[in-house]
């Protein structure tokens, strides 16, 4: 059976994207993205929660992110969830969940 690993997010960049190149010369960029949700609690008080997502982009999409996106920028993105783990210097296993973005659209209003 086939399965699907697809993520769609709309949110604001937490910081200016960090760009770099792999040893093979492949462009990559990473940034954090904040998504927010609001609701009324049982006491009728407004509740809010911000979720932070770690985003990774590659190749031309990474070049676009580096050139056009900045902290606070409002975007729509599509991608997939990736989990990786490693051992730190003390031998403890560390784990991170990242979103590998394959499509990004700026939702910023532009002056024409």
């Amino acid at each position: 059976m086939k399965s699907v690993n697809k993520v769609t997010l709309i949110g604001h960049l937490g910081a200016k994207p960090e760009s770099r190149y792999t040893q093979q010369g492949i462009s990559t960029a990473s940034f954090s993205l904040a998504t927010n949700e609001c609701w009324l609690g049982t006491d009728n008080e407004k509740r809010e929660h911000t979720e932070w997502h770690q985003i990774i982009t590659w190749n031309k999409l990474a070049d676009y992110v580096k050139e056009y996106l900045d902290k606070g920028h409002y975007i729509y993105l599509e991608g997939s969830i990736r989990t990786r783990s490693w051992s730190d210097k003390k031998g403890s296993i560390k784990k991170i969940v990242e979103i590998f973005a394959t499509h990004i659209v700026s939702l910023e209003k532009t002056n024409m």
Side-chain angles (χ1 to χ4, degrees), residues 29-91:
S30 59
F31 58 93
S32 59
L33 186 76
T35 56
N36 303 302
E37 62 180 308
C38 299
W39 68 94
L40 285 178
T42 54
D43 56 0
N44 255 0
E45 290 291 319
K46 182 179 175 183
R47 305 274 191 253
E48 293 184 49
H49 175 73
T50 301
E51 191 71 36
W52 288 95
H53 310 274
Q54 298 304 313
I55 312 298
I56 307 294
T57 60
W58 299 92
N59 300 310
K60 289 184 180 184
L61 188 55
D63 296 337
Y64 167 81
V65 164
K66 175 186 174 185
E67 187 169 344
Y68 296 107
L69 301 185
D70 207 347
K71 180 179 180 175
H73 209 103
Y74 191 50
I75 64 167
Y76 165 94
L77 77 75
E78 293 177 357
S80 59
I81 298 173
R82 299 285 175 97
T83 305
R84 62 183 170 94
S85 55
W86 68 95
S87 297
D88 67 9
K89 293 177 182 177
K90 296 180 181 178

Side-chain angles (χ1 to χ4, degrees), residues 1 8 20 23 28 36-37 41 47 49 62 68 76 79 84 88 92 97 103-104 108:
M1 285 209 141
T8 302
R20 57 199 158 281
Q23 290 179 345
T28 182
N36 303 302
E37 62 180 308
R47 305 274 191 253
H49 175 73
Y68 296 107
Y76 165 94
R84 62 183 170 94
D88 67 9
S92 299
V97 176
H103 184 76
I104 295 176
E108 293 289 312

